């Protein structure tokens, strides 16, 4: 991604932004396997991700924002997929457990580094957020799931 001289990236702005977010997310998760979030500097993170500090600050305000975005991405994808299914609440809960199992390495890092509060914040924000797509919680069963999640979190 580093540009030298007059070399210009063939990627568009959206592609470049996605690339930076992906690189920063991967680098942060690697670093979190080695040390606590408070011990990871923005410079170290950018160096590991091979992106510039300006790229970091165009996409994020803090290291925590990277994790919040990843949680939101994972959870929204799971909720969207689950909202398409008419099933009893127990099946929705089973799907949620399956989601956590599928992404166990990510959630384990959050737990080991005492960052689970980010999960609670992100998921809670998704539930109460006005711009959450209505179809995610369109059915009465989804309303029960939403109520359950709000109580648990």
């Amino acid at each position: 991604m580093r540009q030298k001289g007059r070399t210009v990236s063939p990627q568009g702005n959206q592609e470049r932004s996605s690339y930076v977010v992906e690189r920063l997310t991967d680098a942060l998760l690697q670093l979190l396997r080695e040390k606590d979030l408070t011990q990871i500097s923005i410079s170290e993170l950018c160096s590991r991700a091979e992106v510039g500090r300006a790229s970091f600050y165009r996409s994020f305000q803090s290291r925590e924002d990277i994790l919040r975005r990843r949680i939101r991405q994972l959870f929204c994808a799971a909720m969207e997929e689950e909202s398409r299914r008419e099933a009893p609440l127990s099946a929705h809960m089973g799907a949620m457990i399956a989601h956590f199992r599928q992404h166990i390495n990510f959630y384990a890092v959050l737990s080991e580094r005492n960052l689970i509060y980010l999960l609670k914040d992100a998921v809670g924000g998704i539930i109460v957020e006005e711009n959450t797509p209505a179809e995610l919680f369109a059915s009465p069963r989804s309303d029960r799931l939403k109520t359950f999640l709000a109580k648990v979190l």
Side-chain angles (χ1 to χ4, degrees), residues 60-78:
F60 302 104
Q61 292 182 353
S62 69
R63 297 163 307 213
E64 291 88 346
D65 286 348
I66 295 171
L67 297 171
R68 285 184 187 102
R69 181 182 226 158
R70 181 68 178 146
I71 293 165
R72 180 180 176 75
Q73 177 187 40
L74 290 174
F75 204 83
C76 280

Side-chain angles (χ1 to χ4, degrees), residues 42-147:
I42 300 299
S43 294
E44 178 182 22
L45 175 59
C46 290
S47 177
R48 176 74 65 103
E50 298 180 338
V51 300
R53 287 174 58 91
S55 294
F56 172 87
Y57 286 111
R58 263 193 298 276
S59 300
F60 302 104
Q61 292 182 353
S62 69
R63 297 163 307 213
E64 291 88 346
D65 286 348
I66 295 171
L67 297 171
R68 285 184 187 102
R69 181 182 226 158
R70 181 68 178 146
I71 293 165
R72 180 180 176 75
Q73 177 187 40
L74 290 174
F75 204 83
C76 280
M79 293 293 291
E80 185 175 342
E81 184 178 320
E82 197 54 30
S83 71
R84 295 184 193 136
R85 208 167 64 116
E86 248 339 282
L89 181 59
S90 60
H92 290 298
M93 296 310 302
M96 184 181 296
I97 291 167
H99 163 80
F100 286 114
R101 283 186 182 145
Q102 180 182 1
H103 301 286
I104 190 128
N105 292 333
F106 173 71
Y107 292 116
V109 167
L110 292 182
S111 179
E112 290 164 9
R113 297 299 179 191
N114 296 314
L115 298 169
I116 288 295
Y117 71 91
L118 293 172
L119 174 62
K120 180 180 177 182
D121 292 349
V123 174
I126 291 166
I127 291 169
V128 300
E129 200 172 80
E130 287 182 30
N131 63 356
T132 299
E135 60 272 12
L136 289 184
F137 296 115
S139 73
R141 288 188 176 109
S142 294
D143 288 341
R144 290 197 313 257
L145 178 59
K146 181 178 176 181
T147 302

Side-chain angles (χ1 to χ4, degrees), residues 3-18:
Q3 296 179 1
K4 296 179 181 178
R6 293 184 161 248
T7 304
V8 177
S9 171
Q11 298 175 326
N13 286 340
Q14 183 63 37
E15 293 165 322
R16 205 172 9 255
S17 178
S18 294

